Amino acid sequence: AAAAAAAAAAAAAAAAACWPAESKVRMENLLAVMMRLRNVRNLDSRQTNAVDSAYFACRPPDKAMQRRRRPPLQEYMRHLIFEVLSDGSIVEVLRKLMKLPWAEAEPYLLKCLLKVSRVRFQHIALIASLAGGLAQYHDSLGVGLVDLVLEDVRWGLDHPTQGNYQQRLAQVRLLGEAYNYMLLDSRAVFDVLYMLIGHAHDSEETALKLDPPDDFFRIRLVRRPVLHRIHFVRINFVHIRGLHSVVA
């Protein structure tokens, strides 16, 4: 049964990559046979999930095929931030964003900038650089971005699940890059670092729940996204040495 399920899943996944119009009927019949075998065979959950993944890769649900329709202005901002923004285009993206009707564009622009988990990890610096350039003309954007990121970081500490680890890493990395572009000062950076280290440790019961002894993810948050990305020229060395003694 396992061999049959694996073979059917592999065949369906391979066919999904190339589905010419003349073989549509035959492919639909093969998929139907595969799903009938899935239902009559005694498969475990892993094998069942493999078959389901192959099936929905060939025939996505109708809801997945419906693309969310947004206003043209929002689509334009998403296009600039998620598709156009790069090392060579950041100046041009900044100029285009500055031309938008700011009162209407700022709320959604903030929402896009906060979705740092959607961009490559090494491109988060570009998001911070773009925010720093916009904040020179619109202070509210820089303040709002930092406030919202701090709220998200605090929420992640209160709700530590593996499903949001990537998002939490990206958020803390954005804070470190925001410091480099002077969107927040060193006092706020150290407040965040101490919060990452000591949050929920006032109570032993809460600490065991939110930061168990065998979970070192908070150390990763401190050492990689923050300490490795901040240019320490503007921070007092005594504070840095003391902080390293805490997280070492």
Side-chain angles (χ1 to χ4, degrees):
C18 181
W19 193 346
E22 56 271 16
S23 62
K24 179 178 180 180
V25 176
R26 183 181 179 185
M27 186 62 199
E28 289 180 343
N29 292 335
L30 289 175
L31 289 175
V33 171
M34 182 184 73
M35 295 307 291
R36 284 199 297 269
L37 289 174
R38 170 194 176 280
N39 294 329
V40 299
R41 302 285 184 177
N42 187 21
L43 305 179
D44 59 29
S45 59
R46 181 180 59 84
Q47 295 166 344
T48 301
N49 291 335
V51 175
D52 290 341
S53 298
Y55 179 82
F56 289 114
C58 300
R59 301 190 65 175
D62 293 338
K63 293 182 179 179
M65 299 180 64
Q66 296 177 358
R67 187 169 181 267
R68 182 179 177 182
R69 301 186 63 179
R70 300 180 178 88
L73 180 62
Q74 294 183 3
E75 291 287 358
Y76 181 62
M77 286 187 284
R78 293 174 65 89
H79 169 71
L80 291 177
I81 294 174
F82 298 134
E83 299 177 18
V84 178
L85 184 62
S86 65
D87 290 324
S89 65
I90 185 170
V91 176
E92 185 63 25
V93 170
L94 176 61
R95 290 175 180 172
K96 291 181 178 179
L97 290 176
M98 289 293 298
K99 296 178 181 179
L100 299 179
W102 194 251
E104 180 182 357
E106 183 178 14
Y108 193 77
L109 182 58
L110 269 174
K111 185 177 180 180
C112 291
L113 294 176
L114 286 171
K115 293 183 178 180
V116 287
S117 58
R118 295 197 53 177
V119 301
R120 294 183 178 179
F121 197 71
Q122 60 269 27
H123 286 178
I124 295 178
L126 296 177
I127 298 293
S129 177
L130 184 64
L134 292 170
Q136 293 182 11
Y137 304 94
H138 304 282
D139 294 339
S140 59
L141 183 131
V143 174
L145 179 65
V146 172
D147 286 346
L148 291 173
V149 174
L150 290 174
E151 289 181 7
D152 289 343
V153 171
R154 178 62 181 264
W155 187 91
L157 293 174
D158 290 330
H159 304 81
T161 58
Q162 294 184 357
N164 61 8
Y165 276 6
Q166 181 179 359
Q167 182 178 359
R168 292 174 64 190
L169 280 170
Q171 290 167 349
V172 178
R173 168 72 179 273
L174 180 60
L175 279 178
E177 297 290 354
Y179 170 81
N180 292 332
Y181 291 99
M182 294 182 289
L183 292 175
L184 68 161
D185 57 17
S186 59
R187 180 179 299 179
V189 171
F190 280 106
D191 287 342
V192 172
L193 292 177
Y194 287 125
M195 179 176 67
L196 293 175
I197 296 170
H199 179 71
H201 280 269
D202 297 335
S203 168
E204 182 178 356
E205 181 180 356
T206 306
L208 290 175
K209 179 181 179 181
L210 299 182
D211 189 25
D214 58 346
D215 186 356
F216 304 101
F217 182 72
R218 289 199 190 184
I219 302 300
R220 292 179 58 195
L221 287 178
V222 172
R223 296 182 69 96
R224 282 193 59 192
V226 180
L227 293 181
H228 285 189
R229 297 309 305 171
I230 290 179
H231 299 163
F232 292 128
V233 177
R234 299 192 287 118
I235 299 184
N236 188 298
F237 178 74
V238 176
H239 292 169
I240 293 299
R241 183 172 57 187
L243 183 62
H244 272 292
S245 68
V246 173
V247 300

